[in-house]
Each structure stands twice: as C-alpha cells, then as structure tokens.
Amino acid sequence: MLDLAVVGRLGGEQLAALAVGTLVLSMVSTQLTFLAYGTTARSARAFGAGDRAGAVREGLQASWIAIGAGLVIVVAGWLLAGSVMRALVPDTAVAAEAAGWLRIAVFGVPLILLSMAGNGWMRGVQETRRPVVYVVAGLLVSAVLCVLLVHGLAGAPDLGLHGSAVANLAGQGLTGLLFLRRLLVDVRRRPGPSGRRPVWAPDPAVIRAQLTMARDLILRSLGFQVCFVSAAAVAGRFGVAQVAAHQLVLQIWEFLSLLLDSLAIAAQQVVGAALGARVFGVAKANARRATAVSVLAAAVLALALAAGAGLVPRIFTSDPAILDAARIPWWFLVGMLPVAGVVFALDGVLLGAGDAAFLRTATLAGALLAFLPMIWLSLIFDWGLTGIWAGLLLFMLTRTVAVTFRVRSGRWLR
C-alpha cells in the first residue's frame, strides 16, 4: 500500500505498471503458500502431540523446498517478464515499465518463500511474536528505501518505479535471512530422531508428505490467481484508468484480507494443536470463537471503509479518472468484507485440520462456476468493473456456503 501511495505520485502509467507487476509477483509467490499454511498445519499437529523437534523439522524441509523453487522462479521470471506483461497489458509503455519492475523484484522470491516457511513452522510451535519482529524489520527497511529511491530524496539515486522493486528486495532480504537464522538456531538445539545429532539434509519422506498437501493448496491458489489475472487482463481492456482503479482497490482488499487472515492463522494454529492432542471439543470451541471474532473485525473494517469512501482512495492517487473509476469496486469491497469474515475464519479451521483437499475443490468450483464466467461476461457485454467485482462477490458467497456446510458436518475433525 505504501508502494502504491509513493509510486502513485509519479503518474497513472507508473501506478498501473506497479499494480500489474505486483499482481504477477503475488501470483507467482502465492502458488507456494503451502510453505506457510501446509507447514503450519503439520507443525501444529506435531507440536500438539508433544513432538516439538518434529515440528521444527517440518520447517527445515519446507525451507529446502523454498530455496529450490525460488531459484527456478527467479530464472523463469527474468526470462519471461516481458512476454507476460505484454500479454496482460495492451498499453506497451505500461507493459515495459511493469516488466522492468518485475525483473528486479523477482530476485526476492526465494527470500519471500523462506519467510513463508519460517512463518509456517514458528506458527506451528505457537511462537507468534518473533515472526512479527522479523516482518516489521524488513518492512521498515523497505518503506524508508521506497520513499528515498522512487523520488531520489536525501541524496539517494532517483530510480522512479524501479526504486520500489529495489526497496522491496532489500526488505525481503532482511526478513528472509532473519527467519533462516532462527531456523538454524532451533534445529541445532533439537536432537534428531533417537537423540542423534540434528539432520540438516533434505528428508525425501517429509518433503513428499509436504508436497502431497501442497498439491491441493497449489491448485487452490492457482484457482485464485487465474481469476485475479483474468480480472486484471479484462480490466486492462477497459483502459488505463480502469485497470489502475481495479488494482488499487484490489491491493486494499488484499491488505484487509491479510488482516482477517491473521485471525484465520490463529485458528489454524490452535485448531491444529488441539487436533494433534486429540482434544476435539477444544478444536470445535476454537473454531466457533475464531469465526465470531473474524466476522466482528470484518464488520468494523467495512464501516471504516464506508465512512472513508471519499478520502482513502486519494491517499494513493490524485488522478481524477482513476478516482472516478474506483467508486464501483470500492462499494463492492465494503459489502464483501462481512462475507470474507466467515470465509477466512473457516478456511483457517479447515487448514488446521489438514482438510486441504476439500478447500481445493470448493475454491476451484467457485472460480469455475462463479468468478471466471462473470469476468468474461463483463468483457463480452461491456459491464466494466461492475461485472468483475460482482464476480468476486459471487465467488466469496459460493465459498462461504461450502466451508460453512463442511464445518457443520464435523468431517474436518477426522
């Protein structure tokens, strides 16, 4: 969000390029969110069963996956950045700017993935404060450098849009290395199986088990990303102001999603640990409590956005065309938040139970039957951002029905 505010002062073209570049980077990295979510679920159940060493080993093996996958993505991202951006954005100037930003930012992917794995195992062992310190330290570095490098302040080089990518890379580097250092310290303290010295090498059995769960989570993430990339591509066909407005509101949605996701992650941790300890009544009570708190938080956020509808978008841009185009998705966002409160909390409960296969099916069904059809109908019938955001709302409602029935059925406990 800070990047949007800082880069938005350069102009609508740069803001659109940042928005699309951020979308692609997010799409790439979130395909591997199992490094956080899958690792949390597996580590939490091991921790709940009294095996902290086993929980930490899950983090070590997830980190090996992060390093390997991250290096592959760096090479592919560097080579394909131009082609991908030209396919997404018809405006050649915006596509070129976005490709240049992505070629720098993609070097941060291995560090992002290491941070995901670190968050995953530390959440699993119920250690939540230290990850906050690591993430905030990286974000502070990124925030300061973004302001300095984008506009060339205080003697810093004036890198324009590319300054945002360099700033993010520096912050991600600090956070990733802090997580890696913590993992190495904790593994060294914990003996391996049967009291032997810690095993640092990749463990094929654990990695296979993680990748089995990863398969379902990757397909689930892919369902999200196909929808959001399609939405960006269709919004781009309506003009630069429309794609910039769409991505601006979408970034705010993603920010608020992370706030609500913090409650889902808490549910995942405590539900996973309770199931590992086989105290099923505690797991159900935690599920109910997480849902109630999440819905209340979402309602408060919705009221705040409704009250700030005329003010908040101006923090990110002063372009009148973008501000005008942002009005439609803004009110969809306000109406969608209470629904998201239910979906996110119950997603966390089911992830804590390792019920990834159901979440995969529910997400893909919502994407294929609700979101994607509305996106492409918007292009065919010229519904604009109204049709795109109506599709997102319908997607959320479909998922709400699915996860609610699943939790009420009690099958997740098994």
Side-chain angles (χ1 to χ4, degrees):
M1 291 180 70
L2 177 67
D3 279 359
L4 286 173
V6 173
V7 172
R9 295 298 180 269
L10 296 175
E13 188 176 280
Q14 288 81 1
L15 180 61
L18 174 66
V20 178
T22 302
L23 174 69
V24 172
L25 187 66
S26 173
M27 178 191 71
V28 169
S29 55
T30 53
Q31 296 314 309
L32 297 170
T33 51
F34 72 87
L35 292 168
Y37 294 103
T39 304
T40 297
R42 291 175 57 85
S43 293
R45 291 198 294 274
F47 180 79
D51 183 11
R52 182 186 169 99
V56 176
R57 282 196 297 275
E58 294 286 345
L60 177 62
Q61 301 310 315
S63 297
W64 279 116
I65 298 173
I67 292 169
L71 293 176
V72 171
I73 291 170
V74 167
V75 174
W78 174 266
L79 294 175
L80 299 176
S83 301
V84 170
M85 291 306 173
R86 286 191 295 272
L88 287 176
V89 184
D91 188 298
T92 55
V94 172
E97 287 270 31
W101 183 92
L102 184 61
R103 285 196 174 100
I104 298 169
V106 75
F107 283 95
V109 170
L111 302 161
I112 294 171
L113 300 184
L114 273 175
S115 299
M116 287 183 185
N119 265 302
W121 75 265
M122 292 179 78
R123 291 169 186 167
V125 299
Q126 315 295 298
E127 188 174 344
T128 56
R129 292 183 181 177
R130 199 185 303 267
V132 174
V133 175
Y134 295 167
V135 171
V136 170
L139 290 177
L140 287 175
V141 169
S142 177
V144 172
L145 288 178
C146 183
V147 174
L148 296 179
L149 295 176
V150 169
H151 295 289
L153 302 178
D158 186 352
L159 301 181
L161 173 63
H162 292 175
S164 159
V166 173
N168 279 307
L169 182 58
Q172 289 155 1
L174 176 60
T175 299
L177 291 174
L178 287 171
F179 273 113
L180 181 60
R181 177 182 176 275
R182 181 61 188 171
L183 174 66
L184 298 178
V185 168
D186 215 306
V187 170
R188 192 177 295 115
R189 289 176 179 172
R190 308 283 165 187
S194 304
R196 292 177 297 173
R197 295 177 62 185
V199 178
W200 299 93
D203 184 331
V206 176
I207 289 176
R208 278 197 302 271
Q210 290 185 349
L211 291 178
T212 298
M213 188 173 187
R215 174 198 60 206
D216 296 323
L217 293 177
I218 288 173
L219 288 172
R220 176 174 175 265
S221 295
L222 188 61
F224 286 125
Q225 297 309 324
V226 167
C227 288
F228 286 122
V229 170
S230 297
V234 170
R237 299 304 186 270
F238 297 124
V240 171
Q242 282 71 24
V243 72
H246 169 72
Q247 291 301 137
L248 189 155
V249 180
L250 188 63
Q251 285 296 306
I252 295 173
W253 158 249
E254 290 184 357
F255 171 73
L256 297 176
S257 297
L258 290 174
L259 290 179
L260 295 177
D261 203 35
S262 65
L263 297 169
I265 289 165
Q268 185 183 4
Q269 293 171 237
V270 295
V271 167
L275 292 177
R278 303 188 66 79
V279 283
F280 302 116
V282 173
K284 290 191 284 187
N286 285 334
R288 289 192 296 269
R289 187 177 301 113
T291 305
V293 174
S294 182
V295 171
L296 177 61
V300 171
L301 291 172
L303 290 173
L305 286 185
L311 176 63
V312 177
R314 296 180 183 276
I315 297 173
F316 303 99
T317 182
S318 57
D319 188 310
I322 297 174
L323 290 171
D324 183 62
R327 292 176 183 172
I328 291 172
W330 189 268
W331 289 106
F332 273 104
L333 172 61
V334 170
M336 201 161 53
L337 276 170
V339 178
V342 177
V343 173
F344 280 52
L346 296 184
D347 268 6
V349 169
L350 296 178
L351 282 170
D355 202 2
F358 174 80
L359 289 174
R360 171 207 65 203
T361 303
T363 301
L364 291 177
L368 294 174
L369 300 178
F371 199 178
L372 279 175
M374 286 295 293
I375 290 170
W376 295 109
L377 286 172
S378 297
L379 179 62
I380 294 170
F381 294 105
D382 198 26
W383 290 342
L385 297 185
T386 300
I388 292 173
W389 281 78
L392 179 55
L393 176 59
L394 188 58
F395 178 51
M396 296 297 294
L397 290 170
T398 303
R399 291 173 59 207
T400 301
V401 172
V403 295
T404 300
F405 273 102
R406 183 66 168 185
V407 170
R408 289 178 64 86
S409 73
R411 293 181 182 177
W412 58 282
L413 294 168
R414 299 192 293 273

